[in-house]
Amino acid sequence: MPDMSASASLAMTHLVSFAKEVDEDKVTPGVLGFIVFAAMALAVWALMKSMSRHMNKVDFTQAPDPEAEQAEPETADTETSGQGKQKQG
């Protein structure tokens, strides 16, 4: 395994000393956490706006089914003819 260069070892030394200075009880999300949260909030807002546009395009009124309309008079005729036979009999 090759040896680390002088700049890499110097960078590691500074990072390790910085990590020791950070108080673990006072760690906050920082700028990166805010950026991620803001990006997620913007994404949710954009999705809700898009969904609203798509829902406004939907026509919720249902067209009557022509087959069901044709079937209703036939059933009504058979019911009345059946009742008429019962009254006569």
Short mmCIF file of all heavy atoms in Angstrom, two decimals, residues 24-82:
data_model
loop_
_atom_site.label_atom_id
_atom_site.label_comp_id
_atom_site.label_asym_id
_atom_site.label_seq_id
_atom_site.Cartn_x
_atom_site.Cartn_y
_atom_site.Cartn_z
N GLU A 24 -20.03 17.36 21.11
CA GLU A 24 -21.06 16.44 20.61
C GLU A 24 -22.46 16.82 21.09
O GLU A 24 -23.45 16.45 20.49
CB GLU A 24 -20.73 15.01 21.03
CG GLU A 24 -19.51 14.46 20.32
CD GLU A 24 -19.22 13.04 20.71
OE1 GLU A 24 -20.06 12.40 21.37
OE2 GLU A 24 -18.13 12.55 20.34
N ASP A 25 -22.57 17.58 22.18
CA ASP A 25 -23.88 17.99 22.68
C ASP A 25 -24.43 19.17 21.90
O ASP A 25 -25.62 19.48 22.01
CB ASP A 25 -23.79 18.36 24.16
CG ASP A 25 -23.43 17.16 25.01
OD1 ASP A 25 -23.75 16.02 24.61
OD2 ASP A 25 -22.82 17.37 26.08
N LYS A 26 -23.62 19.86 21.12
CA LYS A 26 -24.05 21.06 20.42
C LYS A 26 -24.01 20.90 18.90
O LYS A 26 -23.94 21.86 18.18
CB LYS A 26 -23.18 22.24 20.82
CG LYS A 26 -23.31 22.60 22.27
CD LYS A 26 -22.47 23.79 22.61
CE LYS A 26 -22.60 24.13 24.10
NZ LYS A 26 -21.77 25.25 24.49
N VAL A 27 -24.07 19.68 18.42
CA VAL A 27 -24.02 19.44 16.98
C VAL A 27 -25.39 19.77 16.38
O VAL A 27 -26.42 19.37 16.91
CB VAL A 27 -23.63 17.98 16.67
CG1 VAL A 27 -23.71 17.70 15.18
CG2 VAL A 27 -22.25 17.69 17.19
N THR A 28 -25.39 20.54 15.29
CA THR A 28 -26.63 20.92 14.61
C THR A 28 -26.56 20.47 13.15
O THR A 28 -25.47 20.18 12.65
CB THR A 28 -26.82 22.44 14.66
OG1 THR A 28 -25.74 23.06 13.98
CG2 THR A 28 -26.88 22.94 16.10
N PRO A 29 -27.70 20.44 12.46
CA PRO A 29 -27.70 20.00 11.06
C PRO A 29 -26.89 20.92 10.16
O PRO A 29 -26.32 20.49 9.18
CB PRO A 29 -29.16 20.02 10.65
CG PRO A 29 -29.94 20.13 11.90
CD PRO A 29 -29.05 20.67 12.94
N GLY A 30 -26.84 22.19 10.48
CA GLY A 30 -26.03 23.12 9.71
C GLY A 30 -26.64 23.49 8.37
O GLY A 30 -27.83 23.31 8.12
N VAL A 31 -25.80 24.01 7.51
CA VAL A 31 -26.25 24.51 6.22
C VAL A 31 -26.72 23.36 5.33
O VAL A 31 -27.74 23.47 4.65
CB VAL A 31 -25.11 25.29 5.53
CG1 VAL A 31 -25.52 25.75 4.14
CG2 VAL A 31 -24.71 26.48 6.38
N LEU A 32 -26.01 22.25 5.34
CA LEU A 32 -26.40 21.11 4.51
C LEU A 32 -27.78 20.60 4.89
O LEU A 32 -28.61 20.30 4.03
CB LEU A 32 -25.37 19.99 4.63
CG LEU A 32 -25.67 18.73 3.80
CD1 LEU A 32 -25.67 19.09 2.31
CD2 LEU A 32 -24.67 17.65 4.10
N GLY A 33 -28.07 20.52 6.17
CA GLY A 33 -29.39 20.08 6.62
C GLY A 33 -30.48 21.04 6.16
O GLY A 33 -31.56 20.62 5.74
N PHE A 34 -30.20 22.34 6.22
CA PHE A 34 -31.17 23.32 5.77
C PHE A 34 -31.41 23.20 4.27
O PHE A 34 -32.55 23.26 3.80
CB PHE A 34 -30.71 24.75 6.09
CG PHE A 34 -31.61 25.80 5.52
CD1 PHE A 34 -32.84 26.05 6.08
CD2 PHE A 34 -31.23 26.51 4.39
CE1 PHE A 34 -33.68 27.01 5.54
CE2 PHE A 34 -32.06 27.46 3.84
CZ PHE A 34 -33.31 27.72 4.42
N ILE A 35 -30.35 23.01 3.50
CA ILE A 35 -30.48 22.88 2.05
C ILE A 35 -31.30 21.65 1.68
O ILE A 35 -32.19 21.71 0.82
CB ILE A 35 -29.09 22.86 1.38
CG1 ILE A 35 -28.43 24.23 1.52
CG2 ILE A 35 -29.18 22.46 -0.08
CD1 ILE A 35 -26.98 24.25 1.10
N VAL A 36 -31.04 20.53 2.34
CA VAL A 36 -31.80 19.31 2.07
C VAL A 36 -33.26 19.51 2.43
O VAL A 36 -34.16 19.13 1.68
CB VAL A 36 -31.19 18.11 2.83
CG1 VAL A 36 -32.09 16.90 2.78
CG2 VAL A 36 -29.82 17.79 2.27
N PHE A 37 -33.54 20.10 3.59
CA PHE A 37 -34.92 20.34 4.02
C PHE A 37 -35.63 21.28 3.06
O PHE A 37 -36.78 21.04 2.67
CB PHE A 37 -34.93 20.92 5.43
CG PHE A 37 -36.31 21.17 5.95
CD1 PHE A 37 -37.08 20.13 6.43
CD2 PHE A 37 -36.85 22.44 5.95
CE1 PHE A 37 -38.36 20.35 6.91
CE2 PHE A 37 -38.12 22.69 6.41
CZ PHE A 37 -38.89 21.63 6.90
N ALA A 38 -34.96 22.35 2.63
CA ALA A 38 -35.56 23.31 1.70
C ALA A 38 -35.83 22.64 0.35
O ALA A 38 -36.89 22.88 -0.26
CB ALA A 38 -34.64 24.52 1.52
N ALA A 39 -34.93 21.79 -0.12
CA ALA A 39 -35.14 21.10 -1.40
C ALA A 39 -36.33 20.16 -1.31
O ALA A 39 -37.15 20.08 -2.23
CB ALA A 39 -33.88 20.33 -1.79
N MET A 40 -36.46 19.46 -0.19
CA MET A 40 -37.61 18.56 -0.02
C MET A 40 -38.91 19.35 0.06
O MET A 40 -39.93 18.93 -0.50
CB MET A 40 -37.40 17.69 1.23
CG MET A 40 -36.33 16.66 1.05
SD MET A 40 -35.96 15.73 2.55
CE MET A 40 -37.51 14.96 2.89
N ALA A 41 -38.90 20.48 0.74
CA ALA A 41 -40.09 21.31 0.84
C ALA A 41 -40.50 21.84 -0.53
O ALA A 41 -41.70 21.84 -0.88
CB ALA A 41 -39.85 22.47 1.81
N LEU A 42 -39.54 22.28 -1.32
CA LEU A 42 -39.85 22.75 -2.68
C LEU A 42 -40.39 21.62 -3.55
O LEU A 42 -41.31 21.83 -4.35
CB LEU A 42 -38.61 23.37 -3.32
CG LEU A 42 -38.21 24.74 -2.80
CD1 LEU A 42 -36.87 25.17 -3.40
CD2 LEU A 42 -39.28 25.77 -3.14
N ALA A 43 -39.85 20.43 -3.41
CA ALA A 43 -40.32 19.28 -4.19
C ALA A 43 -41.76 18.94 -3.83
O ALA A 43 -42.59 18.69 -4.70
CB ALA A 43 -39.42 18.07 -3.96
N VAL A 44 -42.08 18.95 -2.54
CA VAL A 44 -43.46 18.67 -2.11
C VAL A 44 -44.41 19.75 -2.62
O VAL A 44 -45.50 19.45 -3.10
CB VAL A 44 -43.54 18.54 -0.57
CG1 VAL A 44 -44.97 18.53 -0.09
CG2 VAL A 44 -42.81 17.30 -0.12
N TRP A 45 -44.00 21.00 -2.55
CA TRP A 45 -44.84 22.10 -3.05
C TRP A 45 -45.10 21.93 -4.55
O TRP A 45 -46.23 22.09 -5.01
CB TRP A 45 -44.16 23.44 -2.76
CG TRP A 45 -44.89 24.61 -3.31
CD1 TRP A 45 -46.01 25.20 -2.79
CD2 TRP A 45 -44.58 25.32 -4.52
NE1 TRP A 45 -46.40 26.24 -3.61
CE2 TRP A 45 -45.54 26.33 -4.67
CE3 TRP A 45 -43.58 25.19 -5.46
CZ2 TRP A 45 -45.52 27.21 -5.74
CZ3 TRP A 45 -43.57 26.07 -6.53
CH2 TRP A 45 -44.54 27.06 -6.65
N ALA A 46 -44.05 21.60 -5.32
CA ALA A 46 -44.21 21.43 -6.77
C ALA A 46 -45.11 20.25 -7.08
O ALA A 46 -45.95 20.32 -7.99
CB ALA A 46 -42.84 21.25 -7.42
N LEU A 47 -44.97 19.16 -6.35
CA LEU A 47 -45.83 18.00 -6.57
C LEU A 47 -47.29 18.31 -6.25
O LEU A 47 -48.20 17.89 -6.97
CB LEU A 47 -45.35 16.81 -5.74
CG LEU A 47 -44.09 16.12 -6.24
CD1 LEU A 47 -43.60 15.11 -5.22
CD2 LEU A 47 -44.36 15.43 -7.57
N MET A 48 -47.54 19.05 -5.18
CA MET A 48 -48.91 19.40 -4.82
C MET A 48 -49.52 20.33 -5.86
O MET A 48 -50.70 20.20 -6.21
CB MET A 48 -48.96 20.02 -3.43
CG MET A 48 -48.68 19.01 -2.34
SD MET A 48 -48.74 19.72 -0.69
CE MET A 48 -50.45 20.11 -0.55
N LYS A 49 -48.73 21.26 -6.37
CA LYS A 49 -49.23 22.18 -7.39
C LYS A 49 -49.56 21.41 -8.67
O LYS A 49 -50.60 21.64 -9.30
CB LYS A 49 -48.18 23.26 -7.66
CG LYS A 49 -48.69 24.38 -8.50
CD LYS A 49 -47.75 25.56 -8.50
CE LYS A 49 -48.37 26.66 -9.32
NZ LYS A 49 -47.79 27.94 -9.06
N SER A 50 -48.70 20.48 -9.05
CA SER A 50 -48.93 19.67 -10.24
C SER A 50 -50.18 18.80 -10.06
O SER A 50 -51.00 18.67 -10.97
CB SER A 50 -47.72 18.79 -10.52
OG SER A 50 -47.97 17.90 -11.58
N MET A 51 -50.33 18.20 -8.87
CA MET A 51 -51.49 17.37 -8.61
C MET A 51 -52.77 18.19 -8.66
O MET A 51 -53.79 17.75 -9.20
CB MET A 51 -51.38 16.70 -7.25
CG MET A 51 -52.53 15.75 -6.95
SD MET A 51 -52.49 15.07 -5.29
CE MET A 51 -52.83 16.51 -4.33
N SER A 52 -52.72 19.40 -8.17
CA SER A 52 -53.89 20.28 -8.20
C SER A 52 -54.28 20.58 -9.64
O SER A 52 -55.47 20.56 -9.98
CB SER A 52 -53.59 21.56 -7.44
OG SER A 52 -54.67 22.45 -7.53
N ARG A 53 -53.30 20.86 -10.48
CA ARG A 53 -53.59 21.13 -11.90
C ARG A 53 -54.22 19.91 -12.57
O ARG A 53 -55.19 20.03 -13.31
CB ARG A 53 -52.32 21.51 -12.64
CG ARG A 53 -52.02 22.98 -12.55
CD ARG A 53 -50.95 23.36 -13.57
NE ARG A 53 -49.89 24.01 -12.83
CZ ARG A 53 -48.61 23.71 -12.89
NH1 ARG A 53 -48.19 22.76 -13.67
NH2 ARG A 53 -47.73 24.36 -12.17
N HIS A 54 -53.68 18.74 -12.28
CA HIS A 54 -54.21 17.52 -12.90
C HIS A 54 -55.62 17.20 -12.39
O HIS A 54 -56.47 16.75 -13.15
CB HIS A 54 -53.28 16.34 -12.65
CG HIS A 54 -52.06 16.36 -13.50
ND1 HIS A 54 -52.04 15.94 -14.80
CD2 HIS A 54 -50.80 16.79 -13.25
CE1 HIS A 54 -50.84 16.09 -15.31
NE2 HIS A 54 -50.06 16.61 -14.38
N MET A 55 -55.87 17.44 -11.11
CA MET A 55 -57.20 17.16 -10.55
C MET A 55 -58.24 18.14 -11.11
O MET A 55 -59.40 17.79 -11.26
CB MET A 55 -57.17 17.23 -9.03
CG MET A 55 -56.37 16.13 -8.40
SD MET A 55 -56.99 14.49 -8.73
CE MET A 55 -58.39 14.45 -7.66
N ASN A 56 -57.82 19.37 -11.42
CA ASN A 56 -58.75 20.33 -12.00
C ASN A 56 -59.14 19.95 -13.42
O ASN A 56 -60.20 20.35 -13.90
CB ASN A 56 -58.15 21.74 -11.99
CG ASN A 56 -58.14 22.33 -10.60
OD1 ASN A 56 -58.95 21.94 -9.74
ND2 ASN A 56 -57.24 23.25 -10.35
N LYS A 57 -58.31 19.18 -14.11
CA LYS A 57 -58.62 18.73 -15.47
C LYS A 57 -59.61 17.58 -15.49
O LYS A 57 -60.23 17.31 -16.51
CB LYS A 57 -57.34 18.29 -16.19
CG LYS A 57 -56.40 19.42 -16.50
CD LYS A 57 -55.17 18.89 -17.23
CE LYS A 57 -54.17 19.98 -17.49
NZ LYS A 57 -52.95 19.45 -18.15
N VAL A 58 -59.77 16.88 -14.38
CA VAL A 58 -60.62 15.69 -14.34
C VAL A 58 -62.09 16.12 -14.31
O VAL A 58 -62.48 17.00 -13.55
CB VAL A 58 -60.29 14.83 -13.09
CG1 VAL A 58 -61.25 13.68 -12.95
CG2 VAL A 58 -58.87 14.33 -13.18
N ASP A 59 -62.90 15.46 -15.15
CA ASP A 59 -64.34 15.70 -15.18
C ASP A 59 -65.00 14.61 -14.36
O ASP A 59 -64.97 13.43 -14.73
CB ASP A 59 -64.84 15.67 -16.63
CG ASP A 59 -66.31 15.99 -16.73
OD1 ASP A 59 -66.85 16.59 -15.79
OD2 ASP A 59 -66.92 15.62 -17.75
N PHE A 60 -65.60 15.00 -13.24
CA PHE A 60 -66.15 14.00 -12.33
C PHE A 60 -67.58 13.58 -12.68
O PHE A 60 -68.11 12.67 -12.09
CB PHE A 60 -66.13 14.53 -10.89
CG PHE A 60 -64.75 14.54 -10.31
CD1 PHE A 60 -64.06 15.72 -10.17
CD2 PHE A 60 -64.14 13.37 -9.92
CE1 PHE A 60 -62.78 15.73 -9.64
CE2 PHE A 60 -62.87 13.38 -9.39
CZ PHE A 60 -62.18 14.57 -9.26
N THR A 61 -68.23 14.25 -13.64
CA THR A 61 -69.58 13.85 -14.00
C THR A 61 -69.52 12.59 -14.84
O THR A 61 -68.72 12.48 -15.77
CB THR A 61 -70.29 14.96 -14.79
OG1 THR A 61 -69.52 15.28 -15.94
CG2 THR A 61 -70.47 16.20 -13.92
N GLN A 62 -70.36 11.62 -14.51
CA GLN A 62 -70.34 10.35 -15.18
C GLN A 62 -71.39 10.33 -16.28
O GLN A 62 -72.56 10.65 -16.04
CB GLN A 62 -70.60 9.23 -14.18
CG GLN A 62 -70.50 7.86 -14.77
CD GLN A 62 -70.64 6.78 -13.73
OE1 GLN A 62 -70.82 7.07 -12.55
NE2 GLN A 62 -70.59 5.54 -14.14
N ALA A 63 -70.98 9.94 -17.46
CA ALA A 63 -71.93 9.84 -18.57
C ALA A 63 -72.79 8.60 -18.36
O ALA A 63 -72.31 7.56 -17.92
CB ALA A 63 -71.17 9.74 -19.89
N PRO A 64 -74.08 8.70 -18.68
CA PRO A 64 -74.94 7.53 -18.50
C PRO A 64 -74.53 6.41 -19.46
O PRO A 64 -74.11 6.66 -20.59
CB PRO A 64 -76.34 8.05 -18.81
CG PRO A 64 -76.14 9.33 -19.53
CD PRO A 64 -74.80 9.85 -19.16
N ASP A 65 -74.66 5.19 -18.99
CA ASP A 65 -74.29 4.03 -19.79
C ASP A 65 -75.44 3.69 -20.74
O ASP A 65 -76.55 3.40 -20.28
CB ASP A 65 -74.00 2.85 -18.85
CG ASP A 65 -73.42 1.67 -19.58
OD1 ASP A 65 -72.98 1.84 -20.73
OD2 ASP A 65 -73.39 0.57 -18.99
N PRO A 66 -75.22 3.71 -22.07
CA PRO A 66 -76.32 3.43 -23.01
C PRO A 66 -76.83 2.00 -22.89
O PRO A 66 -78.02 1.74 -23.08
CB PRO A 66 -75.71 3.68 -24.38
CG PRO A 66 -74.25 3.87 -24.20
CD PRO A 66 -74.00 4.06 -22.74
N GLU A 67 -75.98 1.05 -22.55
CA GLU A 67 -76.44 -0.33 -22.39
C GLU A 67 -77.37 -0.46 -21.20
O GLU A 67 -78.34 -1.21 -21.23
CB GLU A 67 -75.25 -1.26 -22.24
CG GLU A 67 -74.39 -1.36 -23.49
CD GLU A 67 -73.18 -2.23 -23.28
OE1 GLU A 67 -73.06 -2.85 -22.20
OE2 GLU A 67 -72.34 -2.30 -24.19
N ALA A 68 -77.09 0.26 -20.14
CA ALA A 68 -77.94 0.20 -18.95
C ALA A 68 -79.30 0.83 -19.24
O ALA A 68 -80.33 0.36 -18.75
CB ALA A 68 -77.27 0.90 -17.78
N GLU A 69 -79.33 1.89 -20.04
CA GLU A 69 -80.61 2.52 -20.39
C GLU A 69 -81.47 1.60 -21.24
O GLU A 69 -82.69 1.56 -21.11
CB GLU A 69 -80.36 3.83 -21.13
CG GLU A 69 -79.82 4.92 -20.25
CD GLU A 69 -79.54 6.20 -21.02
OE1 GLU A 69 -79.81 6.24 -22.23
OE2 GLU A 69 -79.04 7.15 -20.41
N GLN A 70 -80.86 0.83 -22.13
CA GLN A 70 -81.61 -0.10 -22.96
C GLN A 70 -82.11 -1.28 -22.14
O GLN A 70 -83.17 -1.81 -22.39
CB GLN A 70 -80.73 -0.61 -24.11
CG GLN A 70 -80.41 0.46 -25.14
CD GLN A 70 -79.44 -0.04 -26.19
OE1 GLN A 70 -78.98 -1.17 -26.12
NE2 GLN A 70 -79.14 0.82 -27.16
N ALA A 71 -81.36 -1.70 -21.15
CA ALA A 71 -81.74 -2.85 -20.34
C ALA A 71 -82.89 -2.49 -19.40
O ALA A 71 -83.71 -3.34 -19.07
CB ALA A 71 -80.54 -3.34 -19.54
N GLU A 72 -83.01 -1.26 -18.95
CA GLU A 72 -84.05 -0.87 -18.01
C GLU A 72 -85.46 -1.01 -18.59
O GLU A 72 -86.34 -1.56 -17.94
CB GLU A 72 -83.81 0.55 -17.52
CG GLU A 72 -82.64 0.66 -16.57
CD GLU A 72 -82.35 2.09 -16.15
OE1 GLU A 72 -83.17 2.96 -16.48
OE2 GLU A 72 -81.32 2.31 -15.51
N PRO A 73 -85.74 -0.53 -19.81
CA PRO A 73 -87.10 -0.70 -20.33
C PRO A 73 -87.48 -2.16 -20.51
O PRO A 73 -88.62 -2.55 -20.27
CB PRO A 73 -87.07 0.02 -21.68
CG PRO A 73 -85.93 0.98 -21.59
CD PRO A 73 -84.96 0.33 -20.66
N GLU A 74 -86.54 -3.02 -20.88
CA GLU A 74 -86.85 -4.44 -21.03
C GLU A 74 -87.23 -5.05 -19.70
O GLU A 74 -88.20 -5.81 -19.62
CB GLU A 74 -85.64 -5.17 -21.62
CG GLU A 74 -85.32 -4.78 -23.04
CD GLU A 74 -84.03 -5.42 -23.54
OE1 GLU A 74 -83.43 -6.21 -22.77
OE2 GLU A 74 -83.62 -5.12 -24.66
N THR A 75 -86.51 -4.73 -18.65
CA THR A 75 -86.84 -5.29 -17.34
C THR A 75 -88.16 -4.72 -16.85
O THR A 75 -88.94 -5.42 -16.21
CB THR A 75 -85.72 -5.01 -16.32
OG1 THR A 75 -85.50 -3.61 -16.26
CG2 THR A 75 -84.45 -5.71 -16.70
N ALA A 76 -88.43 -3.47 -17.16
CA ALA A 76 -89.70 -2.87 -16.75
C ALA A 76 -90.85 -3.53 -17.49
O ALA A 76 -91.91 -3.79 -16.91
CB ALA A 76 -89.69 -1.37 -17.01
N ASP A 77 -90.70 -3.85 -18.77
CA ASP A 77 -91.75 -4.52 -19.54
C ASP A 77 -92.02 -5.92 -19.01
O ASP A 77 -93.17 -6.34 -18.88
CB ASP A 77 -91.36 -4.61 -21.02
CG ASP A 77 -91.36 -3.24 -21.70
OD1 ASP A 77 -92.00 -2.32 -21.15
OD2 ASP A 77 -90.72 -3.11 -22.77
N THR A 78 -90.99 -6.65 -18.67
CA THR A 78 -91.18 -8.00 -18.16
C THR A 78 -91.82 -7.97 -16.78
O THR A 78 -92.63 -8.84 -16.46
CB THR A 78 -89.84 -8.77 -18.10
OG1 THR A 78 -88.92 -8.03 -17.30
CG2 THR A 78 -89.27 -9.00 -19.48
N GLU A 79 -91.49 -6.99 -15.98
CA GLU A 79 -92.10 -6.90 -14.66
C GLU A 79 -93.59 -6.58 -14.78
O GLU A 79 -94.42 -7.18 -14.09
CB GLU A 79 -91.40 -5.83 -13.81
CG GLU A 79 -90.00 -6.22 -13.38
CD GLU A 79 -89.30 -5.09 -12.64
OE1 GLU A 79 -89.93 -4.03 -12.44
OE2 GLU A 79 -88.13 -5.28 -12.27
N THR A 80 -93.96 -5.66 -15.63
CA THR A 80 -95.38 -5.31 -15.77
C THR A 80 -96.15 -6.43 -16.44
O THR A 80 -97.28 -6.70 -16.07
CB THR A 80 -95.54 -4.01 -16.59
OG1 THR A 80 -94.89 -4.16 -17.85
CG2 THR A 80 -94.96 -2.83 -15.85
N SER A 81 -95.54 -7.13 -17.39
CA SER A 81 -96.25 -8.24 -18.03
C SER A 81 -96.41 -9.39 -17.06
O SER A 81 -97.42 -10.08 -17.04
CB SER A 81 -95.53 -8.69 -19.30
OG SER A 81 -94.25 -9.19 -18.97
N GLY A 82 -95.42 -9.59 -16.21
CA GLY A 82 -95.50 -10.64 -15.22
C GLY A 82 -96.55 -10.34 -14.18
O GLY A 82 -97.29 -11.20 -13.72
#
